[in-house]
Structure formats: structure tokens, C-alpha cells
Amino acid sequence: MDAIPTLLLSAVAMTLIVGLRYLATSGLFAWLTTRRRPGAHAGLASQIRREIGWSLASAAIYGVPAGVVAWGWQHRGWTRIYADWQALPLWYLPLSVLLYLSAHDTWFYWTHRWLHAPRAFRLAHAVHHASRPPTAWAAMSFHPLEALTGAVVIPALVFLIPIHAAMLGLVLAIMTVMGVTNHMGWEMFPRALVHSRLGGWLITASHHQRHHDEYRCNYGLYFRVWDRLCGTDRGLSSC
Ligand SMILES: [Zn+2]
Ligand SMILES: [Zn+2]
């Protein structure tokens, strides 16, 4: 087959996958929220409709670069994604996941701080913060400009850092689940973990909730390292 049709097909398929993944994951956790916190979504119907609309637009912005890279991996041998478990030592498998999460976290922290500069906030990031309080549907509720800053990260990293295809799947699963659950307004992890020493370095719902409550703190994605280093960590909200 010609390159163009297969490339288009890959971009469309990836957009559908990202969109359906969003609907399934956010739908699941939104449903759990109504079970766990009855009334939490009361009066939020029009906000939730907006969150879903922006998120589905983001799905295309995430899906197209991902589709192009997936096509290049399959048809042109692009990227450093590998499929043979023996290609690199086994200890590298967890390390690669940590490298991806740390790199994404670093990119997110600094672009997120930039998005809170007055002009960038008005132009783009206000869309994400229009969710008050955010719900599980707000996971990808971004202005297209902000979605673009997020969409390039993993497609760029696969050219730089070797990763097994299954570990890449794990990274994407963590990204999806944390993106959704950090916005749902309640903590799904046990208190013993959230308030442990390890929990003090991890970002879960009550950390990101505080960002949505107070704006100028708690900018991180997965880890509290940058927030702590830069003095922007204000701890957890009471959710
Ligand atoms: Zn958020
Ligand atoms: Zn923000």
C-alpha cells in the first residue's frame, strides 16, 4: 500500500483509540465517583459536557502525532521501541518506565508553570481550570494549544529513550489512569500510601485537587520532586 493512505489510517485509528480510551476510563471513574460520592456531579452537567467536548478534540491532537509515529515504527523502522524481551537487560524494563515518567513529569511541570503566566493562562490554560471542581471527565479537557504541548512528549521520547513496547503500554496506562483519577475529587489510594514517605513524593488526587483549588502551587504530574525543589508544593487538599 502507498504511504499516504496507511499513514492517514494510522492517524485516524490512533485518534479513535485515544478517544475511546478516554471515554472508557473517564466513564468508569465518573461512575465510581457517583457511587462513592453521591451528588458530587450535581449541577455539573453543562461543565461535564464541555469537559467531554474539549477532551475529544484533544484526542485528535494526541492521536495524530501518535499515529504518525506508530506508522513510522511499523513501516519505516523509526523509534527506539523494541519488541524482543532479550534486546536489553531485564533490569532496564522498570528503569525505562521511570525514565519516561520522569521526563514527562519534567516537561509537564515547566510547561504547566508557563501556562500559568497571565497571557498563556488567558489564551489556553483557562479552559482546563474552567472545571470547578474538576471531574473525571476533565482528564483531557485542554485548549488545543495546551493539548499540543502534551501530545508531543511521548512521540518525541520514543525517538530518544529505548523502551519495550509492553513498557510503553504501561506508561500510557499510568498516564491515562492518573490523568483521570487526579481530577475526580477523591483519593482511590489507601491513606497509608498517600501519607507515607513514598506517598510524599507521588502525585495523587488530593495533590492535584489543591492545584485546582489554589492555582499557584502543585504543578507536577507524577512526582513532587520539581514542586519541592522549586518551593511550589503546598501539600495535599483534604479530599
Ligand atoms: Zn488538572
Ligand atoms: Zn494549572
Tab-separated table of all heavy atoms in Angstrom, residues 39-63:
chain	number	residue	atom	x	y	z
A	39	GLY	N	-24.030	12.651	44.515
A	39	GLY	CA	-24.272	14.098	44.472
A	39	GLY	C	-23.064	14.918	44.054
A	39	GLY	O	-23.166	16.128	43.871
A	40	ALA	N	-21.893	14.256	43.886
A	40	ALA	CA	-20.679	15.009	43.543
A	40	ALA	C	-20.816	15.728	42.203
A	40	ALA	O	-20.187	16.753	41.980
A	40	ALA	CB	-19.466	14.072	43.515
A	41	HIS	N	-21.610	15.170	41.304
A	41	HIS	CA	-21.759	15.770	39.976
A	41	HIS	C	-23.016	16.635	39.858
A	41	HIS	O	-23.349	17.103	38.768
A	41	HIS	CB	-21.787	14.686	38.893
A	41	HIS	CG	-20.476	14.008	38.700
A	41	HIS	ND1	-20.305	12.908	37.877
A	41	HIS	CD2	-19.248	14.287	39.204
A	41	HIS	CE1	-19.040	12.528	37.903
A	41	HIS	NE2	-18.371	13.346	38.707
A	42	ALA	N	-23.691	16.848	40.983
A	42	ALA	CA	-24.945	17.614	40.934
A	42	ALA	C	-24.681	19.015	40.401
A	42	ALA	O	-23.761	19.706	40.853
A	42	ALA	CB	-25.557	17.684	42.325
A	43	GLY	N	-25.458	19.424	39.419
A	43	GLY	CA	-25.317	20.773	38.861
A	43	GLY	C	-24.133	20.940	37.929
A	43	GLY	O	-23.844	22.053	37.492
A	44	LEU	N	-23.414	19.867	37.627
A	44	LEU	CA	-22.217	19.986	36.789
A	44	LEU	C	-22.437	19.490	35.358
A	44	LEU	O	-21.479	19.363	34.597
A	44	LEU	CB	-21.039	19.211	37.414
A	44	LEU	CG	-20.528	19.723	38.769
A	44	LEU	CD1	-19.370	18.847	39.258
A	44	LEU	CD2	-20.061	21.180	38.669
A	45	ALA	N	-23.706	19.241	34.979
A	45	ALA	CA	-23.954	18.622	33.664
A	45	ALA	C	-23.364	19.432	32.517
A	45	ALA	O	-22.718	18.869	31.623
A	45	ALA	CB	-25.456	18.416	33.467
A	46	SER	N	-23.541	20.757	32.536
A	46	SER	CA	-23.039	21.527	31.386
A	46	SER	C	-21.513	21.606	31.433
A	46	SER	O	-20.849	21.590	30.399
A	46	SER	CB	-23.683	22.918	31.315
A	46	SER	OG	-23.269	23.683	32.414
A	47	GLN	N	-20.933	21.668	32.633
A	47	GLN	CA	-19.460	21.634	32.740
A	47	GLN	C	-18.928	20.306	32.187
A	47	GLN	O	-17.952	20.277	31.433
A	47	GLN	CB	-19.021	21.796	34.200
A	47	GLN	CG	-17.499	21.660	34.378
A	47	GLN	CD	-17.064	21.592	35.827
A	47	GLN	OE1	-17.378	22.496	36.614
A	47	GLN	NE2	-16.345	20.549	36.205
A	48	ILE	N	-19.585	19.195	32.553
A	48	ILE	CA	-19.124	17.876	32.096
A	48	ILE	C	-19.226	17.771	30.578
A	48	ILE	O	-18.326	17.241	29.926
A	48	ILE	CB	-19.911	16.752	32.823
A	48	ILE	CG1	-19.477	16.696	34.293
A	48	ILE	CG2	-19.712	15.403	32.138
A	48	ILE	CD1	-20.278	15.736	35.162
A	49	ARG	N	-20.288	18.343	30.006
A	49	ARG	CA	-20.409	18.334	28.528
A	49	ARG	C	-19.229	19.078	27.903
A	49	ARG	O	-18.657	18.640	26.918
A	49	ARG	CB	-21.732	18.968	28.098
A	49	ARG	CG	-22.862	17.948	27.961
A	49	ARG	CD	-24.011	18.513	27.139
A	49	ARG	NE	-24.582	19.711	27.754
A	49	ARG	CZ	-25.479	19.672	28.738
A	49	ARG	NH1	-25.904	18.510	29.214
A	49	ARG	NH2	-25.956	20.792	29.251
A	50	ARG	N	-18.860	20.208	28.492
A	50	ARG	CA	-17.698	20.970	27.975
A	50	ARG	C	-16.416	20.153	28.137
A	50	ARG	O	-15.570	20.109	27.244
A	50	ARG	CB	-17.556	22.307	28.707
A	50	ARG	CG	-18.419	23.421	28.169
A	50	ARG	CD	-17.887	24.784	28.622
A	50	ARG	NE	-17.658	24.848	30.058
A	50	ARG	CZ	-18.608	25.111	30.960
A	50	ARG	NH1	-19.850	25.317	30.571
A	50	ARG	NH2	-18.313	25.175	32.249
A	51	GLU	N	-16.265	19.514	29.299
A	51	GLU	CA	-15.054	18.701	29.542
A	51	GLU	C	-14.931	17.602	28.486
A	51	GLU	O	-13.838	17.343	27.964
A	51	GLU	CB	-15.113	18.065	30.948
A	51	GLU	CG	-14.933	19.064	32.084
A	51	GLU	CD	-15.186	18.459	33.469
A	51	GLU	OE1	-15.752	17.345	33.551
A	51	GLU	OE2	-14.819	19.110	34.464
A	52	ILE	N	-16.051	16.964	28.152
A	52	ILE	CA	-16.017	15.876	27.160
A	52	ILE	C	-15.701	16.446	25.778
A	52	ILE	O	-14.898	15.878	25.022
A	52	ILE	CB	-17.346	15.086	27.173
A	52	ILE	CG1	-17.514	14.370	28.521
A	52	ILE	CG2	-17.396	14.082	26.024
A	52	ILE	CD1	-18.862	13.693	28.723
A	53	GLY	N	-16.272	17.584	25.453
A	53	GLY	CA	-16.017	18.205	24.146
A	53	GLY	C	-14.549	18.558	23.953
A	53	GLY	O	-13.920	18.178	22.954
A	54	TRP	N	-13.969	19.261	24.922
A	54	TRP	CA	-12.542	19.618	24.822
A	54	TRP	C	-11.674	18.363	24.807
A	54	TRP	O	-10.670	18.303	24.087
A	54	TRP	CB	-12.121	20.499	25.998
A	54	TRP	CG	-12.617	21.902	25.978
A	54	TRP	CD1	-13.506	22.465	26.850
A	54	TRP	CD2	-12.245	22.954	25.062
A	54	TRP	NE1	-13.710	23.783	26.535
A	54	TRP	CE2	-12.954	24.120	25.449
A	54	TRP	CE3	-11.386	23.022	23.959
A	54	TRP	CZ2	-12.828	25.334	24.770
A	54	TRP	CZ3	-11.261	24.228	23.278
A	54	TRP	CH2	-11.978	25.364	23.677
A	55	SER	N	-12.060	17.364	25.600
A	55	SER	CA	-11.241	16.145	25.686
A	55	SER	C	-11.247	15.381	24.368
A	55	SER	O	-10.225	14.839	23.952
A	55	SER	CB	-11.742	15.236	26.814
A	55	SER	OG	-11.548	15.856	28.078
A	56	LEU	N	-12.399	15.349	23.693
A	56	LEU	CA	-12.449	14.623	22.413
A	56	LEU	C	-11.655	15.376	21.343
A	56	LEU	O	-11.013	14.755	20.485
A	56	LEU	CB	-13.901	14.389	21.981
A	56	LEU	CG	-14.656	13.379	22.858
A	56	LEU	CD1	-16.103	13.237	22.397
A	56	LEU	CD2	-13.973	12.003	22.862
A	57	ALA	N	-11.658	16.718	21.415
A	57	ALA	CA	-10.799	17.486	20.496
A	57	ALA	C	-9.333	17.172	20.795
A	57	ALA	O	-8.514	16.975	19.880
A	57	ALA	CB	-11.071	18.978	20.647
A	58	SER	N	-8.999	17.089	22.084
A	58	SER	CA	-7.622	16.739	22.461
A	58	SER	C	-7.251	15.348	21.955
A	58	SER	O	-6.093	15.091	21.615
A	58	SER	CB	-7.449	16.766	23.983
A	58	SER	OG	-7.658	18.061	24.491
A	59	ALA	N	-8.234	14.439	21.901
A	59	ALA	CA	-7.942	13.070	21.445
A	59	ALA	C	-7.360	13.090	20.033
A	59	ALA	O	-6.437	12.330	19.715
A	59	ALA	CB	-9.203	12.214	21.499
A	60	ALA	N	-7.880	13.987	19.175
A	60	ALA	CA	-7.343	14.075	17.810
A	60	ALA	C	-5.937	14.664	17.839
A	60	ALA	O	-5.040	14.224	17.099
A	60	ALA	CB	-8.262	14.921	16.944
A	61	ILE	N	-5.731	15.659	18.715
A	61	ILE	CA	-4.417	16.308	18.775
A	61	ILE	C	-3.370	15.338	19.323
A	61	ILE	O	-2.220	15.347	18.913
A	61	ILE	CB	-4.520	17.604	19.613
A	61	ILE	CG1	-5.431	18.591	18.857
A	61	ILE	CG2	-3.151	18.198	19.889
A	61	ILE	CD1	-5.837	19.797	19.654
A	62	TYR	N	-3.788	14.473	20.235
A	62	TYR	CA	-2.888	13.426	20.743
A	62	TYR	C	-2.745	12.297	19.718
A	62	TYR	O	-1.677	11.711	19.560
A	62	TYR	CB	-3.435	12.837	22.041
A	62	TYR	CG	-3.093	13.609	23.278
A	62	TYR	CD1	-3.815	14.756	23.627
A	62	TYR	CD2	-2.062	13.210	24.119
A	62	TYR	CE1	-3.513	15.475	24.755
A	62	TYR	CE2	-1.752	13.935	25.264
A	62	TYR	CZ	-2.477	15.057	25.576
A	62	TYR	OH	-2.179	15.765	26.697
A	63	GLY	N	-3.854	11.989	19.044
A	63	GLY	CA	-3.883	10.801	18.189
A	63	GLY	C	-3.063	10.941	16.914
A	63	GLY	O	-2.432	9.975	16.484
